[in-house]
Amino acid sequence: MPDLRRDPIVGRWVIISTDRSGRPHDFVPLLPAKPVSTVLCPFCPGQERLTPKEIMAYRPQPAEPNSPGWTVRVVPNKFPALQVEGDIGREGVGLYDRMNGVGAHEVIIESPGHTDSLADLPAKKIEDVLWTYRDRIIDLKKDLRLRYILIFKNHGPSAGATLEHSHSQLIALPIVPTSVLEEIDGCRTHFEQKERCIYCDILRQDLSDGDRVVAENHEFVCVTPYAPRFPFEMWILPKRHAGYFEESQKSQFECLAPILSECLRRMDKVLARPAYNFMLHSSPLHERTGEFYHWHLEIIPKLTQVAGFEWGTGFYINPVSPEESAKSLREVEI
């Protein structure tokens, strides 16, 4: 019989209906993989003139900005969703509310290698990418117009990537997104009732049960959530309570990089290198939610499509139980 499960954080229900599909190899990519492009890539070294001027870059040796020799490079998005210039200009238009599209939209080029995948990079290189995320959040946090920063990665055409060179993106917003507010509200309610962080409670239970644990080290754990929206959805969370990603210390990044690498490699092995999205959820920039909110990374392979039932109800139908997903991911040889 299908299993109805409720997410304890936001209250969202999902349907785990394992009869609708089967084992990991039953999944096929939503879009076929494209051959490596021979077209001039704006993210490759030597082509820096093809991007807007860099915001920052890591270079082992001193060099001029917007020149080769970088290991991680950050540039403004050439087609930004929001723009840095201007004031917010909040106003009411009759019943409706509007504001100017003020914010920031940046691209983090994760490696100079055109064919490099984040999963295949050495842990130290991934650590550099994480430091870049932190540096950009800290810098943008100074702008009091901005209230939330989302860092995300679209890997593969069916996940929304328009360029194959490995990169992630940052969008800074003048409002806190609804999905994050729902998480924060759920965390706040749990904390008011029990004086505990709900993510910490989830970690304690999942580490005790073990059925949904994919990987762990002494600082981080990767789990498949109890009520996942999508097959093989994974969360990576710090074991010690932490509300703000940008407050992470060097020792934590040294542990986050290898577990992120391991989880991506496990996913690639089980699911034959699928397209995926990941999102970094952290506390809003200027609100003190760190006491009860717990930052985390969500990784979602693109294996199924959201259709009419999901759009119409807010329920998700997942054809694979999180326990089976975790078992496949945990036991695969990498």
Side-chain angles (χ1 to χ4, degrees):
M1 179 174 290
D3 193 10
L4 271 166
R5 296 192 182 191
R6 180 180 179 274
D7 183 292
I9 302 161
V10 300
R12 175 182 55 235
W13 287 86
V14 301
I15 300 171
I16 308 295
S17 183
T18 55
D19 284 346
R20 292 170 62 89
S21 190
R23 296 145 296 177
H25 63 260
D26 291 331
F27 293 105
V28 295
L30 295 178
L31 289 174
K34 295 192 302 182
V36 174
S37 173
T38 57
V39 177
L40 200 62
C41 171
F43 292 170
C44 281
Q47 311 304 332
E48 289 80 8
R49 69 188 186 282
L50 300 179
T51 67
K53 291 184 178 179
E54 67 190 40
I55 297 167
M56 66 164 285
Y58 289 168
R59 288 182 169 87
Q61 303 296 328
E64 289 294 318
N66 303 297
S67 65
W70 49 270
T71 54
V72 182
R73 186 168 183 254
V74 182
V75 299
N77 193 299
K78 198 170 184 177
F79 306 100
L82 298 168
Q83 296 184 356
V84 174
E85 298 80 11
D87 56 26
I88 291 178
R90 299 177 191 271
E91 63 176 331
V93 183
L95 174 66
Y96 306 108
D97 297 309
R98 68 161 302 280
M99 66 181 74
N100 294 327
V102 170
H105 191 172
E106 301 175 3
V107 177
I108 298 99
I109 307 168
E110 299 158 348
S111 168
H114 183 80
T115 58
D116 287 348
S117 164
L118 188 63
D120 298 329
L121 291 179
K124 186 64 179 73
K125 299 281 190 183
I126 297 176
E127 190 181 332
D128 288 344
V129 174
L130 298 173
W131 278 109
T132 306
Y133 294 167
R134 170 191 175 274
D135 290 348
R136 293 309 304 138
I137 293 173
I138 288 174
D139 184 48
L140 288 164
K141 202 171 186 175
K142 300 170 189 173
D143 188 338
L144 298 182
R145 298 172 303 168
L146 306 177
R147 294 186 58 198
Y148 193 78
I149 293 175
L150 178 71
I151 291 174
F152 62 97
K153 180 176 176 64
N154 303 330
H155 175 83
S158 60
T162 54
L163 288 170
E164 59 195 2
H165 194 124
S166 189
H167 66 283
S168 40
Q169 298 183 62
L170 175 156
I171 293 185
L173 298 157
I175 55 176
V176 182
T178 301
S179 61
V180 177
L181 284 174
E182 289 174 347
E183 287 183 0
I184 290 171
D185 288 344
C187 292
R188 182 186 289 111
T189 299
H190 186 87
F191 188 82
E192 288 171 350
Q193 293 173 351
K194 302 186 179 182
E195 297 185 357
R196 300 193 307 267
C197 164
I198 190 168
Y199 283 101
C200 291
D201 281 356
I202 288 170
L203 286 182
R204 275 188 287 270
Q205 180 161 332
D206 284 359
L207 286 168
S208 175
D209 295 344
D211 292 342
R212 288 181 294 277
V213 174
V214 175
E216 66 173 308
N217 57 35
H218 67 277
E219 288 283 1
F220 290 91
V221 62
C222 176
V223 299
T224 54
Y226 174 75
R229 296 156 292 177
F230 305 103
F232 295 87
E233 178 178 348
M234 292 181 282
W235 295 355
I236 299 177
L237 304 99
K239 287 182 174 179
R240 293 184 285 172
H241 180 77
Y244 298 86
F245 170 83
E246 66 272 20
E247 294 179 0
S248 301
Q249 303 301 307
K250 184 175 187 293
S251 60
Q252 292 168 300
F253 283 148
E254 287 173 347
C255 290
L256 177 56
I259 198 170
L260 174 57
S261 172
E262 178 182 346
C263 292
L264 293 176
R265 286 184 289 121
R266 289 186 180 280
M267 179 182 69
D268 278 355
K269 191 68 178 291
V270 171
L271 300 171
R273 301 181 76 88
Y276 66 87
N277 303 103
F278 78 53
M279 295 75 65
L280 172 61
H281 279 189
S282 186
S283 287
L285 299 180
H286 309 297
E287 299 177 26
R288 301 313 300 175
T289 60
E291 186 178 25
F292 52 83
Y293 189 68
H294 198 119
W295 75 260
H296 56 284
L297 268 171
E298 299 181 4
I299 304 172
I300 299 175
K302 296 294 289 185
L303 303 170
T304 56
Q305 291 183 312
V306 175
F309 177 78
E310 289 84 357
W311 291 123
T313 63
F315 279 45
Y316 289 82
I317 300 177
N318 185 341
V320 184
S321 76
E323 292 79 14
E324 183 61 32
S325 296
K327 185 174 187 293
S328 296
L329 293 162
R330 184 174 59 245
E331 294 181 356
V332 71
E333 293 289 336
I334 57 171

